[in-house]
Amino acid sequence: MSWDKRGRENELVTWKDVMEVERYVYTAGPDGEKFLRGLREGKILGRKCPRCGRVYVPPRMYCEDCFVENGEYVEVKEAYLDSFTTIYYDNADRRLDQPITVGLVRFKGASGGLLAIVQGIPEIGKKVEIVEYGIPLRVRT
Ligand SMILES: [Zn+2]
């Protein structure tokens, strides 16, 4: 299908079609694979910039401050709750039997964070214990 865009730069263009995912193989990439293998071993891995020392969680290939390739993978351990929300209704507007608290967990000394299901009474800044290493994490306050 050809498309002539001349004179239509400000129009919203959408395509409705089917994406054939079965014919392709997707990978998590080198950092994603390392991170996922770490989860399987019960570790949260970040990647450290060799220039400024910033640690990215989840790992990233390049430091966004220094524009250099990040170096070693490091395990981060001290997790705390950065923010959270409690969900009382599902997508169909039915009240849940038990509300679910979802939070952003960050790690001391690292940039970034991971999504988590939060058990216990959530409190911003409070240390959390990781009880299940997965996507999302499951943490306890
Ligand atoms: Zn850096």
Side-chain angles (χ1 to χ4, degrees):
M1 174 181 175
S2 65
W3 186 265
D4 183 4
K5 291 180 68 175
R6 282 177 289 174
R8 304 173 80 173
E9 289 82 9
N10 295 326
E11 292 182 27
L12 178 63
V13 178
T14 61
W15 282 269
K16 291 186 178 178
D17 206 339
V18 175
M19 186 174 174
E20 297 178 20
V21 295
E22 293 85 12
R23 292 196 298 166
Y24 301 97
V25 174
Y26 294 93
T27 69
D31 281 343
E33 182 177 339
K34 188 83 173 175
F35 177 74
L36 293 171
R37 288 184 187 279
L39 285 180
R40 191 186 296 165
E41 296 170 4
K43 297 177 183 173
I44 303 295
L45 294 177
R47 196 164 179 197
K48 189 174 186 177
C49 173
R51 185 172 292 167
C52 70
R54 186 172 172 181
V55 174
Y56 290 90
V57 174
R60 287 192 187 170
M61 289 291 290
Y62 296 94
C63 177
E64 66 186 31
D65 291 331
C66 305
F67 303 109
V68 298
E69 186 170 353
N70 285 324
E72 66 178 318
Y73 292 93
V74 294
E75 184 177 1
V76 293
K77 293 185 176 180
E78 292 183 54
Y80 64 94
L81 191 60
D82 181 79
S83 57
F84 67 92
T85 188
T86 302
I87 302 163
Y88 294 92
Y89 293 88
D90 68 11
N91 290 346
D93 205 26
R94 292 177 298 238
R95 190 165 180 92
L96 299 172
D97 294 334
Q98 289 281 325
I100 300 169
T101 299
V102 178
L104 177 65
V105 171
R106 294 186 187 268
F107 299 86
K108 190 173 179 186
S111 295
L114 299 171
L115 192 64
I117 304 294
V118 181
Q119 301 171 342
I121 298 173
E123 188 179 320
I124 292 175
K126 190 175 184 180
K127 285 180 75 171
V128 292
E129 174 191 0
I130 299 171
V131 293
E132 190 176 313
Y133 290 81
I135 300 176
L137 292 175
R138 193 168 292 271
V139 300
R140 181 172 35 226
T141 59

